[in-house]
Amino acid sequence: DNDNVTGAYTLTNHLISLEHRLIGVVNVSLKVSTGYERFHGFCQAMRSIDVDPTANYAYRYDTGFSEQDGYSAAAYLLSLDPPPTAIVVMNNVMTLGVVRYCNTHNISIPEDLSLVSFGDNANQALFTIQPTMIQLNLKTIGNKIGDLIMERIRNKGAGPNQEVRYSSSLVVGNSCKVYTP
């Protein structure tokens, strides 16, 4: 598993370092461990600028994992007055929906809205917008899962399940700019 808390904190802190303060977050349900952990990292970063996004934070949108869910989240967040200057999207597929909404509504990334994403997308090199993102180590994680399964098969008396966390790395794209009022 990736370190969801640290990854979300890093993404949010990147936007904070670019002077963004009105930051929207698109996340999955907090009942899902990934959603809970990533939101926790977002909260840690936002609290560093004295914003508590846990109590009636209008710029939070919890949704499902689909592209359409990301599109709906962007429609909601960008209809607020004032709209966020930046959005943290906690899932790579939802990011596609946010970008599609922006393209459909002539919202320019990063000129009008800065955007960061948890995870990259297949064929991302073909995109005009290269979101700043937390890059997931999917191949490494998959190999480790395979190794652990094989170890369980070979050693039926193996101990309890193991939790393995991998650090994630921030990859800076062209989807963010310094906020200037």
Side-chain angles (χ1 to χ4, degrees):
D1 195 4
N2 279 284
D3 186 344
N4 291 308
V5 175
T6 302
Y9 176 88
T10 301
L11 282 175
T12 309
N13 197 53
H14 178 73
L15 293 171
I16 290 169
S17 76
L18 296 173
E19 303 301 323
H20 292 277
R21 298 297 181 264
L22 197 54
I23 302 171
V25 59
V26 180
N27 197 15
V28 298
S29 169
L30 299 184
K31 293 178 182 175
V32 177
S33 62
T34 304
Y36 175 81
E37 292 171 359
R38 291 179 184 179
F39 185 67
H40 183 67
F42 174 79
C43 290
Q44 284 181 344
M46 293 300 285
R47 286 185 185 119
S48 75
I49 57 168
D50 295 323
V51 174
D52 182 3
T54 58
N56 300 320
Y57 187 68
Y59 297 92
R60 172 180 159 197
Y61 193 93
D62 293 346
T63 189
F65 290 94
S66 75
E67 180 180 338
Q68 184 57 45
D69 292 326
Y71 187 94
S72 298
Y76 165 77
L77 290 171
L78 295 171
S79 72
L80 295 173
D81 187 19
T85 62
I87 297 177
V88 178
V89 187
M90 298 297 190
N91 170 282
N92 57 345
V93 176
M94 293 185 305
T95 301
L96 295 173
V98 173
V99 171
R100 184 168 55 86
Y101 180 87
C102 290
N103 289 342
T104 304
H105 292 84
N106 297 317
I107 298 168
S108 179
I109 300 170
E111 290 78 14
D112 302 325
L113 177 73
S114 289
L115 179 72
V116 295
S117 173
F118 208 110
D120 53 343
N121 283 287
N123 302 316
Q124 187 157 324
L126 302 174
F127 299 173
T128 304
I129 297 299
Q130 299 293 317
T132 294
M133 66 176 170
I134 290 297
Q135 189 170 45
L136 303 175
N137 304 310
L138 297 179
K139 184 177 179 182
T140 303
I141 292 169
N143 287 337
K144 183 63 175 179
I145 289 170
D147 291 346
L148 291 171
I149 290 170
M150 292 307 296
E151 182 180 320
R152 279 267 191 215
I153 291 170
R154 285 191 294 268
N155 184 4
K156 296 202 187 299
N161 290 338
Q162 297 178 33
E163 181 174 312
V164 180
R165 295 215 177 246
Y166 291 94
S167 61
S168 303
S169 55
L170 181 69
V171 177
V172 177
N174 63 1
S175 64
C176 298
K177 72 170 196 160
V178 173
Y179 174 69
T180 51

